[in-house]
Amino acid sequence: MRKQTIIAILAVLSGQVNAKHSSVDEDLTNLSIEELLNVEVISAPRLGQKTNKSPSSVSVLNASDIRTFGWRTLADALNGMRGLFTANNRNYSFLGVRGFIQPNDYNSRVLVMIDGMRMNENIYDTGNIAQEFMLDTDLIERIEFIPGSGSTIYGANAFLGLINVVTKSGKAIKGAQVAGEAGSFDTYKGRASYGKKLENGADMLFSASHFESAGAGNLFFPAYDDPATNNGVAHDMDAERADRLFGKIQFQELTVSGGVVDRFKRMPAAVSGDIFNDPGNYTDDRQFFGNVKYNKAINEKTTALFQGFFQGYDYQAEEPYLFGQTGQRRVFHDATVGRWMGGDAQLTTRAFDRQRLMLGLEYQYDIRQHQFSYDVAPYTLYADNNLNGHRVEVYAQDDVQLSDSLLLSAGLRFDYHHMIRDLPLNPRLGLIWNPLSSTTLKLLYSSTFRAPNAAELAYNPYYFDINPPIAEEQIQSYESIMEWNFPDGLKLFGSLFFNDISRFLQVSPDTGLLENTGQFHIYGTELEAEKRWGSGRLLKISYTYNFVSDQTNQGTRAYGAPEHLIKLHYAEPLFNNFARLGVESIFIGDRKTQQGGLADAYDLVNVNLTSDRLVQGLDLSASIYNLLDDHYQVVGDGVNNILLMNGREFRFKFVLTY
């Protein structure tokens, strides 16, 4: 991963709250928009506020949406949200937020959480969203996304946005469950789960799954279109597998959870000088966590939350390459080991008149941030370094009800982070006005930072044997929002936003060093209309315009950034609710490549048909992905200027509950 990241950066420049988190016992899969507005959002301000009271623009997808549209991974679901888009380099999936995306940053500028617990690992700060993500989509109750700099409350990686995945309760599973899938490219998945709420009130959920895919048999890469490299065709180089375990037990105020994901992927793209079409090129990574959470109501107005966790991340990759003029085949082995632990304490109170005050303290100890790389034979060590240190964050947020219709939200966060020299202090302000029960207006401002990760800190010493200081990236976010929520299930949303990114880490074209020289301006608008009918029909359409300006390159359009995103979702119950049809259309505008060309715009159309009426306890679905069979283009990295994605795919799935 280190090798690919470094080469990708060079290629770019050469081209110039879970406070009060109660058990989710009720089934949220079929809530209307009006009902969803009254669901407490865990992540938004860490206060459990309703979405129309939150000092942010919150997008929520529930389990019913996941089932209706047949989303296979978290990346699929996020690709359907307004303002978001995903890309894939045939190894990992990357998330773009309001036009901004960086190849091979491993989503380090987005904070990914499960039930309010941070999941970004401590080497690359990776936020996994595809098969490398911890959870099966069948275990997800809802997905919450907050764009902008949410780090005032949540920490350094909520730079562009925050994703919180809320897991289902055992009661929602309702017993033993077995699921199976079969799809294109010899793709298979099996899952076994058990969930139940006991008579004493304890709720438990356990799940295990295995995913395996042979991948596309032949993949064409124009950069390697030469007889010496198999005419640019990588054969049987797209295989992937993933194994997952997850468990959660909740009893009264105590919740214990844990999970592990182990994922293997062959790498067909050969982006960093690797031998093309060599089956020895692969990635293998593993992540695990254990978490204990205690939530206690001190009195009617005050709640305390205590949490402790231990997490780990292991990564290794082997990349065959030709050595020197002799052309000898050697294997470069790249590996990392990350271990970290910590906890947090939080107090939320309404003891003061017309106020809701939250105070919090977070601590993380990076036990091990070990990176090492070497040639296998003959053994040649290239790097072996290890970091460790402490992170301490103190935060506060006060929501003051200035009048019955006007709310002022003010937050402040102070950080000590062993990866940087400064002590960042970041504010967050929100003014929320509800002139009518159906209407909400918000004015929002926030600032935050992203500390260099361990891999970035190792870049300059690794290549240049010097260690000049690099600092944290900074962002300031401004947004105005208007929301209308009507009793008949109609929801309208509009926003104007501007993000100012400074001190962005990039490699200097003059010195080759990683430096804080980048600056970007992001501005645009989002519009969304959603209507849910009592019959189960759904119609949702969103449009996002965003322009990402590279201020260090005369304000030109940044690479990888689409200006236009259009999302359409339609769901229709069929045959008196015997089945349900979901149709999804995702339009992504053209994007500038690193070499200055354009990746074509595309329209991705997916269709999913589900039914749970054929046999009691049996849920069946059939899905067609990329219905129009478009081998659409995504912006690549390194020598792969543009990557072609798969054409039409199929999936059949069953879920048996008993």
Side-chain angles (χ1 to χ4, degrees), residues 27 78 85 103 188 207 263 294 312 317 328 410 413 436 450 501 507 543 612:
D27 185 2
L78 295 173
F85 66 101
Y188 303 97
S207 184
R263 179 248 192 185
Y294 181 74
Q328 177 190 15
R413 183 180 182 105
L436 301 171
R450 185 189 77 95
I501 299 175
V507 176
Y543 169 71
D612 58 2

Side-chain angles (χ1 to χ4, degrees), residues 404-532:
D404 291 342
S405 61
L406 189 62
L407 176 72
L408 174 64
S409 179
L412 193 65
R413 183 180 182 105
F414 176 79
D415 288 77
Y416 166 81
H417 198 302
H418 73 99
M419 310 288 273
I420 58 178
R421 300 185 179 187
D422 296 332
L423 299 175
L425 183 67
N426 288 283
R428 177 177 181 173
L429 295 172
L431 190 63
I432 303 169
W433 183 35
N434 296 101
L436 301 171
S437 60
S438 61
T439 305
T440 303
L441 292 87
K442 303 178 182 180
L443 293 175
L444 309 174
Y445 166 78
S446 59
S447 70
T448 191
F449 72 99
R450 185 189 77 95
N453 58 48
E456 290 167 332
L457 286 177
Y459 175 92
N460 290 328
Y462 179 76
Y463 279 95
F464 302 98
D465 198 28
I466 58 175
N467 193 20
I470 57 176
E472 70 277 11
E473 299 173 344
Q474 296 180 342
I475 183 173
Q476 292 182 314
S477 299
Y478 307 81
E479 187 168 9
S480 62
I481 298 169
M482 295 188 69
E483 298 176 345
W484 295 269
N485 301 280
F486 301 100
D488 62 355
L490 175 64
K491 176 182 177 182
L492 303 176
F493 173 90
S495 76
L496 296 171
F497 57 85
F498 173 73
N499 292 326
D500 181 7
I501 299 175
S502 60
R503 298 169 62 170
F504 192 84
L505 280 169
Q506 55 187 21
V507 176
S508 168
D510 299 323
T511 66
L513 296 172
L514 187 64
E515 300 175 345
N516 294 97
T517 56
Q519 183 173 6
F520 297 90
H521 288 167
I522 308 170
Y523 55 87
T525 183
E526 285 184 350
L527 302 171
E528 185 173 72
E530 179 176 349
K531 168 70 174 176
R532 294 180 186 255

Side-chain angles (χ1 to χ4, degrees), residues 24 114-115 135 139-141 165-169 205 246 248:
V24 186
I114 294 178
D115 292 331
L135 295 174
L139 303 182
I140 297 176
E141 182 63 55
V165 178
V166 182
T167 58
K168 289 182 177 180
S169 64
L205 170 63
F246 177 76
K248 181 175 68 171

Side-chain angles (χ1 to χ4, degrees), residues 136 138-139 173 177-180 189-193 207-210 655:
D136 297 297
D138 287 339
L139 303 182
I173 300 296
Q177 198 172 82
V178 177
K189 182 178 180 180
R191 176 179 60 85
S193 305
S207 184
S209 69
H210 174 75
V655 180

Side-chain angles (χ1 to χ4, degrees), residues 96 186 212 270 309 341 356 380 434 479 510 520:
D186 290 328
E212 189 165 339
F309 62 84
M341 62 181 295
R356 192 180 196 186
T380 306
N434 296 101
E479 187 168 9
D510 299 323
F520 297 90

Side-chain angles (χ1 to χ4, degrees), residues 81-375:
M81 278 186 165
R82 71 167 184 262
L84 303 182
F85 66 101
T86 60
N88 188 287
N89 68 352
R90 296 287 181 181
N91 192 12
Y92 291 94
S93 288
F94 303 93
L95 184 67
V97 180
R98 290 178 168 174
F100 192 86
I101 190 170
Q102 291 289 299
N104 285 338
D105 78 341
Y106 304 102
N107 303 321
S108 64
R109 295 173 176 90
V110 178
L111 179 59
V112 179
M113 310 181 83
I114 294 178
D115 292 331
M117 184 184 68
R118 173 191 175 93
M119 296 304 298
N120 295 63
E121 44 83 18
N122 74 338
I123 304 291
Y124 305 96
D125 281 336
T126 306
N128 291 320
I129 59 174
Q131 291 298 339
E132 62 274 14
F133 181 57
M134 183 71 63
L135 295 174
D136 297 297
T137 55
D138 287 339
L139 303 182
I140 297 176
E141 182 63 55
R142 67 181 184 274
I143 302 166
E144 305 163 350
F145 178 75
I146 303 166
S149 53
S151 185
T152 304
I153 301 301
Y154 273 106
N157 290 96
F159 192 79
L160 298 173
L162 182 154
I163 302 163
N164 184 52
V165 178
V166 182
T167 58
K168 289 182 177 180
S169 64
K171 182 180 179 180
I173 300 296
K174 302 174 183 177
Q177 198 172 82
V178 177
E181 302 177 18
S184 304
F185 308 122
D186 290 328
T187 300
Y188 303 97
K189 182 178 180 180
R191 176 179 60 85
S193 305
Y194 180 79
K196 187 176 182 180
K197 185 170 184 177
L198 304 179
E199 293 181 358
N200 63 0
D203 187 277
M204 61 178 63
L205 170 63
F206 301 99
S207 184
S209 69
H210 174 75
F211 167 88
E212 189 165 339
S213 176
N218 293 297
L219 294 171
F220 177 64
F221 296 88
Y224 293 95
D225 191 5
D226 186 276
T229 50
N230 201 35
N231 297 309
V233 176
H235 180 65
D236 289 341
M237 286 290 296
D238 198 32
E240 184 174 21
R241 66 148 181 84
D243 295 292
R244 296 180 179 87
L245 292 172
F246 177 76
K248 181 175 68 171
I249 300 176
Q250 182 173 0
F251 181 67
Q252 297 179 357
E253 297 93 351
L254 184 67
T255 303
V256 180
S257 60
V260 60
V261 56
D262 188 343
R263 179 248 192 185
F264 170 90
K265 180 69 174 67
R266 293 202 183 279
M267 296 190 294
V271 298
S272 55
D274 312 331
I275 299 175
F276 182 74
N277 197 34
D278 191 310
N281 201 327
Y282 74 88
T283 293
D284 194 352
D285 44 34
R286 179 185 303 107
Q287 189 170 358
F288 62 87
F289 81 95
N291 182 64
V292 178
K293 185 184 303 181
Y294 181 74
N295 192 4
K296 179 67 176 178
I298 298 174
N299 54 46
E300 293 182 355
K301 295 184 177 181
T302 304
T303 300
L305 171 70
F306 302 95
Q307 182 172 228
F309 62 84
F310 179 81
Q311 299 191 52
Y313 173 71
D314 298 310
Y315 163 87
Q316 65 175 359
E318 292 201 343
E319 304 166 14
Y321 71 100
L322 299 179
F323 178 76
Q325 296 181 349
T326 63
Q328 177 190 15
R329 181 183 184 274
R330 291 190 177 182
V331 177
F332 177 80
H333 185 92
D334 188 22
T336 63
V337 178
R339 298 290 184 270
W340 64 103
M341 62 181 295
D344 59 83
Q346 182 178 294
L347 184 72
T348 306
T349 182
R350 291 183 178 273
F352 305 101
D353 187 40
R354 300 176 70 84
Q355 293 187 60
R356 192 180 196 186
L357 177 64
M358 183 264 297
L359 303 172
L361 172 67
E362 289 187 3
Y363 170 75
Q364 178 173 315
Y365 176 48
D366 290 322
I367 304 169
R368 191 178 186 189
Q369 295 172 302
H370 189 196
Q371 305 170 74
F372 53 101
S373 58
Y374 55 88
D375 277 351

